[in-house]
């Protein structure tokens, strides 16, 4: 599993997931591209400085394609943040007791 090595950040994790998904259906790859684009942009900009056009351009997809996967910018950002927290939870080492 990709989460075994926690020596990389979430964007690196998504890039590896996307590379591993090359044999998957296009719908899976495109959703990953959009989430990766949102993660990259959130690393550099605040929420209000990011637009659907910017996410789509960063992902390399058409503006309309974005709306086939997400209803709004807040939806891709919410998914990215929720997935990030799952990544952190799965990556961290247990606290010894």
């Amino acid at each position: 599993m990709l989460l075994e090595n926690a020596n990389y950040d979430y964007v690196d994790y998504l890039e590896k997931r996307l590379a591993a998904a090359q044999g998957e259906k296009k719908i899976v790859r495109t959703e990953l591209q959009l989430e990766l684009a949102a993660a990259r942009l959130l690393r550099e900009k605040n929420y209000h400085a990011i637009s659907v056009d910017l996410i789509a351009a960063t992902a390399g997809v058409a503006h309309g394609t974005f709306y086939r996967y997400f209803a709004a910018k807040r939806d891709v950002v919410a998914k990215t943040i929720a997935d990030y927290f799952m990544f952190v939870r799965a990556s961290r080492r247990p606290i010894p007791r």
Side-chain angles (χ1 to χ4, degrees), residues 15-92:
E15 288 170 346
K16 289 177 182 179
R17 275 188 61 199
L18 183 59
Q22 292 309 311
E24 298 286 329
K25 292 184 178 182
K26 186 176 180 179
I27 191 168
V28 172
R29 293 190 322 269
T30 303
E31 185 172 338
L32 270 170
Q33 284 175 262
L34 289 165
E35 187 174 351
L36 174 59
R40 284 179 176 153
L41 290 167
L42 285 167
R43 195 165 59 175
E44 302 168 2
K45 303 173 181 283
N46 69 46
Y47 176 82
H48 297 292
I50 299 170
S51 65
V52 169
D53 284 331
L54 188 55
I55 294 168
T58 302
V61 300
H63 176 87
T65 301
F66 176 91
Y67 291 104
R68 300 183 97 194
Y69 295 87
F70 298 99
K73 172 179 76 168
R74 72 179 167 271
D75 297 322
V76 70
V77 170
K79 182 180 185 329
T80 302
I81 291 171
D83 289 353
Y84 170 74
F85 282 118
M86 288 185 349
F87 166 77
V88 169
R89 206 173 289 125
S91 302
R92 70 184 175 98

